Amino acid sequence: MNTTSIGLNKDKAKNLTVSLNVLLANFQVYYQNLRGLHWNIKGKTFFELHVKYEEFYTDSQIKIDMIAERILTLGGTPLHTFEEYSELSKVAVGKNITAGVDGVQLVVGSLTELLLLERGILNESAEANDEGTNAMMSDFIAEQEKTMWMLNAWLN
């Protein structure tokens, strides 16, 4: 039998776990960036961005758990070391960012990378007939597209 316990092709499920682990690594770096932005924001936008960054990192924490649990559901093992995250992440690491515009630009750049990965996984999960991963990616994408619109409106 070449299917998983949830009825997916084993090879396609294994490939999806690899892609999901890359997404997990990128989300972990994004999450750490958001924590740093939350802690270090200064200036006239402090009050609005301090709260917004907390909202974003809380949401990211939930998504990280969802991604890891999906990897487990597909029969894989979620990555869990900073070394692995650093090797796989395309999300830029933000360091000592205190200015509101710089922080929001980092978030926009990070979301761009995450959306690219999610769209790739969306296509891969569709080919694998994996509705669970597909639905999760669709939800992430829809939410992040709206966030991008709002952040770009704030920047402009």
Side-chain angles (χ1 to χ4, degrees):
M1 182 157 101
N2 196 27
T3 58
T4 65
S5 62
I6 60 172
L8 298 175
N9 175 284
K10 284 183 181 180
D11 292 333
K12 290 181 180 183
K14 184 177 180 182
N15 291 338
L16 274 165
T17 65
V18 171
S19 298
L20 286 166
N21 264 317
V22 171
L23 182 62
L24 178 65
N26 280 271
F27 254 102
Q28 290 284 24
V29 172
Y30 175 57
Y31 171 80
Q32 283 305 126
N33 281 340
L34 291 166
R35 295 300 304 238
L37 293 170
H38 172 76
W39 293 327
N40 295 308
I41 185 69
K42 293 180 180 167
K44 294 182 188 285
T45 59
F46 171 83
F47 289 107
E48 69 184 284
L49 290 178
H50 185 74
V51 171
K52 186 55 73 174
Y53 292 145
E54 184 174 5
E55 176 187 317
F56 288 163
Y57 75 67
T58 301
D59 177 69
S60 294
Q61 195 172 28
I62 292 166
K63 285 181 171 68
I64 286 165
D65 196 52
M66 290 172 69
I67 296 164
E69 289 176 352
R70 189 66 194 164
I71 292 166
L72 289 162
T73 300
L74 294 172
T77 303
L79 300 178
H80 57 276
T81 68
F82 289 113
E83 179 183 22
E84 292 166 315
Y85 301 153
S86 295
E87 289 173 6
L88 293 174
S89 183
K90 293 183 179 191
V91 167
V93 173
K95 186 175 179 182
N96 298 326
I97 296 173
T98 60
V101 170
D102 294 341
V104 171
Q105 287 173 334
L106 178 64
V107 173
V108 167
S110 299
L111 287 173
T112 298
E113 290 295 338
L114 292 171
L115 282 163
L116 289 170
L117 291 169
E118 291 160 357
R119 289 184 200 290
I121 294 169
L122 185 68
N123 290 330
E124 190 178 349
S125 62
E127 289 179 24
N129 199 28
D130 176 3
E131 182 57 30
T133 301
N134 200 295
M136 185 170 70
M137 290 303 103
S138 291
D139 290 347
F140 285 12
I141 290 167
E143 182 182 317
Q144 290 163 352
E145 285 176 341
K146 184 175 181 180
T147 299
M148 287 285 279
W149 160 66
M150 291 181 184
L151 291 172
N152 281 314
W154 188 91
L155 286 169
N156 294 315

